[in-house]
Amino acid sequence: MRLLVVEDEHKIAAALKKGLEQENYAVDLAYDGEEGYDFASTEDYAVIILDLMLPKMDGVTVCKKLREDNIHTPILMLTAKGELDDKVSGLNSGADDYLTKPFAFAELLARVKALTRRPKHTTQTKLKVADLTLNTNNYEVKRNAKVIQLSKKEFALLEYLMRHPNTILSKDQIIAHIWDYEADVLPNTVEVYIGYLRRKLPNLIHTIRGFGYKIGEAK
Ligand code: CA
């Protein structure tokens, strides 16, 4: 499988390329946002690893432009601590996952593998899990054709779960995707919102003790 790494710090880029090649990936490197965008829009990659802070064009802009171009390659965004402000809340830019620097290579590899296992077109606007449908254009959630009313936060959480059906999502991942622009979110907050969703949508969201949550067909 072929990957693209867009990272302006040459040392990190080289280390990622070396590590990923040892895992039998083919790796292209780009050192600024424009180059990254050019590569990503002309070549077919399994996953794009995209640094947030880049010369010429930042990662959020690259991501947004690719999604506007209807390119749905999974994107793993790299951020440094402290960059997780509203810039990253451009999560709505269409990145699929986030990883904060410094990270262990094993963690990056696990995220990349998870992204390659996912079906393409996860940026689609109509999502379906079992008898539940969610439409990101009109914010309508229906179960068995019955409309379910959700708060904004509940909707965001449900959308994130539904984009990763039958996949265990940790509280940290959920926080990074749903609450990234808010300070001091506790893992407990995730539990509370999962609880709200469960009351409205029984038997769909499962707790995997010690790991996190997943959404899927009721057992
Ligand atoms: Ca950078």
Side-chain angles (χ1 to χ4, degrees):
M1 264 184 280
R2 190 170 172 197
L3 309 179
L4 174 65
V5 173
V6 190
E7 166 62 83
D8 57 316
E9 286 167 69
H10 287 239
K11 255 176 114 172
I12 297 179
L16 287 178
K17 183 174 167 73
K18 194 176 165 208
L20 289 165
E21 282 176 349
Q22 276 169 1
E23 298 292 327
N24 296 320
Y25 290 104
V27 181
D28 290 343
L29 292 180
Y31 299 105
D32 66 60
E34 274 176 17
E35 193 181 25
Y37 172 74
D38 286 345
F39 276 46
S41 49
T42 48
E43 306 293 329
D44 193 15
Y45 295 104
V47 173
I48 299 167
I49 299 164
L50 180 63
D51 191 31
L52 175 67
M53 299 303 275
L54 289 166
K56 295 187 185 172
M57 195 192 290
D58 67 70
V60 167
T61 308
V62 172
C63 199
K64 274 191 183 150
K65 278 177 65 103
L66 289 173
R67 296 315 188 218
E68 278 165 19
D69 295 348
N70 225 12
I71 295 168
H72 297 284
T73 311
I75 292 177
L76 172 62
M77 188 89 86
L78 304 181
T79 66
K81 268 218 164 85
E83 289 175 1
L84 278 169
D85 53 12
D86 41 26
K87 194 144 213 195
V88 172
S89 78
L91 241 198
N92 308 322
S93 65
D96 299 84
D97 201 0
Y98 277 79
L99 194 55
T100 308
K101 293 177 183 175
F103 50 80
F105 180 75
E107 176 68 21
L108 176 113
L109 189 61
R111 303 284 185 96
V112 167
K113 281 187 177 160
L115 288 173
T116 58
R117 279 195 297 264
R118 277 167 49 186
K120 280 204 169 185
H121 302 295
T122 50
T123 46
Q124 64 196 17
T125 54
K126 281 179 190 151
L127 307 174
K128 190 173 188 322
V129 171
D131 54 0
L132 182 69
T133 56
L134 179 147
N135 184 327
T136 60
N137 286 331
N138 61 10
Y139 297 99
E140 194 170 72
V141 176
K142 281 183 178 173
R143 192 167 191 189
N144 266 330
K146 185 174 169 263
V147 175
I148 313 282
Q149 301 292 344
L150 299 180
S151 73
K152 239 176 144 178
K153 211 51 132 184
E154 290 165 356
F155 183 92
L157 175 56
L158 182 63
E159 179 186 349
Y160 181 53
L161 292 170
M162 288 180 75
R163 286 194 187 280
H164 307 82
N166 295 306
T167 305
I168 300 170
L169 300 169
S170 71
K171 286 178 189 171
D172 286 344
Q173 277 175 297
I174 292 172
I175 289 170
H177 278 81
I178 313 296
W179 279 277
D180 55 288
Y181 53 91
E182 282 177 15
D184 299 327
V185 176
L186 301 170
N188 184 30
T189 312
V190 177
E191 282 167 38
V192 170
Y193 276 88
I194 290 281
Y196 293 155
L197 278 182
R198 277 197 176 127
R199 245 166 281 157
K200 294 178 178 181
L201 304 163
N203 303 320
L204 267 182
I205 301 165
H206 313 285
T207 302
I208 314 300
R209 214 156 282 286
F211 293 99
Y213 302 97
K214 70 171 183 180
I215 194 163
E217 197 92 44
K219 280 168 204 144

